[in-house]
Amino acid sequence: VMDRFGIGTHINLRNIVKTVISIGPLTSAELKKRNVAYVEAREHTIRGSFEAAKQALNAGRRKGKK
């Protein structure tokens, strides 16, 4: 998949991706196994994941403001 977007395999995604959203407990367990920091959606649906992403983005904006 990454090759389709012109991203070489030598790039460490941990340096690019700021937040990973987990849709639910099973996804969270897999991320935890791989030591990936994540935010789990409260509602385990696409809508819940979208809301978690919005909250994570807004939190990042607040941190960046002075």
Side-chain angles (χ1 to χ4, degrees):
V1 173
M2 291 172 51
D3 288 337
R4 289 185 192 169
F5 297 105
I7 300 173
T9 55
H10 63 281
I11 294 175
N12 185 346
L13 287 179
R14 292 176 196 259
N15 296 331
I16 298 170
V17 176
K18 302 299 179 196
T19 304
V20 175
I21 305 299
S22 166
I23 195 168
L26 294 176
T27 305
S28 296
E30 289 299 318
L31 292 167
K32 196 179 292 185
K33 283 183 200 176
R34 292 163 174 76
N35 294 319
V36 175
Y38 62 91
V39 174
E40 185 175 312
R42 288 186 187 137
E43 179 184 322
H44 307 302
T45 62
I46 299 297
R47 178 177 285 159
S49 297
F50 181 74
E51 290 300 320
K54 284 192 329 186
Q55 290 177 2
L57 287 170
N58 285 331
R61 286 186 183 147
R62 285 192 294 270
K63 287 181 185 177
K65 287 187 177 181
K66 291 186 178 184

